[in-house]
């Protein structure tokens, strides 16, 4: 596996002259997933708002998957296009089950202690790429495969994400606008990490 700086450099090389496309895709993604959720939720009462937020998040599971999977295609030479954000709905059941289990496991881990929830998040963090690469793998098997691939690499992945902390702070200072660029940067970097880990895993 390469150093974190190397993965970031590889991502920057991919994104060169593609930042505008990446920001547009990120904007559409955040608008659908979080913007609509925020607007509708504010018009509802507390109980109804919480129920809507939960239902909307689950309905957006394929959207969340598509946004991550798109960057795996991107580093393999494909274009970033807003229409690809909806590709996950063509495989709704498999992706929905995988993400439902993913968020359920993380939530249970966070209820008892924060640290287990974080560990589970990294343990199963490869499921969008695994589901993308293997059209036949089931949701449970995708979780198992992610856990197997991440064995001994969870701290590495944590440090990779942590290396973006400075950019995250700067993004907050821009009232969140910076995340339109940071999110593609992170996803492209993690996609490269997955490609190397996949090769190391023997695929």
């Amino acid at each position: 596996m390469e150093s974190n700086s190397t993965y970031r450099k590889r991502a920057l090389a991919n994104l060169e002259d593609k930042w505008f496309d990446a920001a547009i895709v990120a904007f559409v993604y955040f608008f659908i997933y979080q913007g609509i959720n925020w607007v509708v939720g504010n018009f509802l009462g507390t109980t109804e708002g919480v129920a809507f937020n939960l239902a909307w998040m689950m309905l957006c599971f394929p959207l969340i998957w598509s946004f991550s999977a798109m960057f795996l295609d991107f580093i393999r030479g494909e274009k970033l296009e807003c229409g690809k954000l909806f590709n996950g709905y063509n495989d709704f059941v498999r992706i929905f089950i995988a993400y439902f289990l993913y968020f359920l496991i993380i939530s249970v881990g966070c209820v008892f202690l924060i640290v287990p929830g974080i560990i589970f998040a990294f343990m199963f963090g490869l499921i969008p790429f695994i589901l993308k690469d293997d059209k036949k793998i089931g949701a449970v098997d995708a979780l198992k495969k992610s856990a197997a691939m991440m064995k001994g690499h969870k701290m590495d992945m944590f440090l990779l994400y942590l290396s973006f902390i400075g950019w995250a702070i700067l993004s907050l200072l821009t009232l969140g606008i910076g995340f339109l660029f940071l999110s593609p940067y992170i996803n492209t970097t993690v996609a490269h990490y997955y490609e190397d880990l996949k090769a190391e895993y023997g695929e």
Side-chain angles (χ1 to χ4, degrees):
M1 302 297 290
E2 302 283 353
S3 66
N4 291 341
S5 61
T6 298
Y7 286 118
R8 293 197 304 271
K9 288 178 181 177
R10 288 163 64 180
L12 289 173
N14 288 121
L15 288 163
E16 186 177 2
D17 299 326
K18 301 292 190 302
W19 284 107
F20 179 77
D21 294 338
I24 291 297
V25 168
F27 174 80
V28 173
Y29 167 72
F30 285 124
F31 177 78
I32 295 173
Y33 178 41
Q34 296 181 332
I36 294 176
N37 191 15
W38 182 81
V39 171
V40 176
N42 280 342
F43 279 100
L44 300 174
T46 302
T47 302
E48 294 83 358
V50 171
F52 175 81
N53 291 342
L54 181 60
W56 185 252
M57 182 184 72
M58 291 191 292
L59 183 62
C60 286
F61 282 165
L63 179 75
I64 299 170
W65 173 84
S66 298
F67 185 66
S68 296
M70 185 189 308
F71 289 93
L72 185 59
D73 283 337
F74 175 56
I75 68 171
R76 293 172 176 174
E78 296 192 21
K79 294 181 179 180
L80 294 171
E81 299 173 337
C82 292
K84 293 180 180 179
L85 286 171
F86 306 99
N87 287 349
Y89 291 94
N90 296 325
D91 193 10
F92 183 87
V93 174
R94 188 174 69 119
I95 292 172
F96 179 88
I97 294 174
Y99 271 78
F100 178 81
L101 293 174
Y102 173 67
F103 283 110
L104 178 63
I105 292 170
I106 292 175
S107 298
V108 171
C110 288
V111 164
F112 292 100
L113 286 171
I114 298 298
V115 173
I118 295 174
I119 293 174
F120 290 146
F122 289 111
M123 181 185 298
F124 302 119
L126 299 180
I127 59 170
F129 305 129
I130 292 171
L131 291 171
K132 173 67 179 178
D133 274 341
D134 189 345
K135 306 297 184 184
K136 296 182 179 180
I137 194 170
V140 175
D141 287 336
L143 290 168
K144 290 180 179 178
K145 185 172 182 178
S146 179
M149 292 179 68
M150 287 301 295
K151 186 175 182 180
H153 294 283
K154 290 184 286 296
M155 180 56 70
D156 294 338
M157 180 72 81
F158 172 75
L159 293 175
L160 181 61
Y161 275 96
L162 190 63
S163 69
F164 291 98
I165 187 66
W167 293 109
I169 293 172
L170 288 175
S171 296
L172 289 172
L173 295 176
T174 63
L175 302 179
I177 296 175
F179 286 108
L180 297 180
F181 300 93
L182 179 58
S183 184
Y185 184 17
I186 293 175
N187 277 276
T188 304
T189 302
V190 175
H192 275 295
Y193 184 88
Y194 164 77
E195 286 282 67
D196 283 4
L197 187 58
K198 179 182 176 183
E200 184 180 277
Y201 190 68
E203 294 190 9

